Amino acid sequence: MMFAKRLREPVMRGEITCSVRLWQAPHVKAGGRYPMGPGWIEVNSIREIGIGDITPELARRSGFESVEDLLSVARHGPGDHVYLVEFQYREQRDTLFD
């Protein structure tokens, strides 16, 4: 999963744990791991929602100031299906000595 540059650090700190995506079809799956920085994003769940389900609280949880701010970033591609992706960031650890 890719994130806007301003969202990457808050995601890696665990402050952002969900993302609203406008895609033609899902690009991730529950249980999937996607590289990011020194670790990865682990997707807990993905579900289709309606555009009206995007509340100001959900926008803030996703790292945006408002629904309009979120949509201005999310509407960059041809997708018209709205997906809510719940995830957690996992840091890569050296397991050689664990």
Side-chain angles (χ1 to χ4, degrees):
M1 288 182 61
M2 298 295 294
F3 290 88
K5 190 173 184 177
R6 69 182 172 115
L7 300 177
R8 292 177 194 156
E9 287 297 322
V11 166
M12 289 190 286
R13 289 192 302 263
E15 297 167 9
I16 297 173
T17 58
C18 68
S19 182
V20 175
R21 301 295 174 116
L22 274 70
W23 288 328
Q24 291 180 329
H27 292 199
V28 299
K29 63 180 181 176
R33 291 181 172 184
Y34 304 92
M36 181 178 172
W40 64 88
I41 298 293
E42 186 172 324
V43 175
N44 298 324
S45 67
I46 179 170
R47 65 184 172 99
E48 191 165 357
I49 63 173
I51 199 94
D53 294 325
I54 305 173
T55 63
E57 178 189 355
L58 182 55
R60 285 189 296 277
R61 285 184 49 222
S62 301
F64 294 91
E65 293 181 17
S66 66
V67 173
E68 294 77 19
D69 184 25
L70 183 153
L71 291 175
S72 71
V73 172
R75 285 189 170 141
H76 65 274
D80 56 359
H81 295 271
V82 183
Y83 296 94
L84 174 60
V85 181
E86 300 274 354
F87 62 85
Q88 48 193 334
Y89 181 75
R90 302 284 193 187
E91 291 185 28
Q92 183 172 355
R93 296 187 181 150
D94 183 1
T95 58
L96 184 60
F97 300 105
D98 288 346

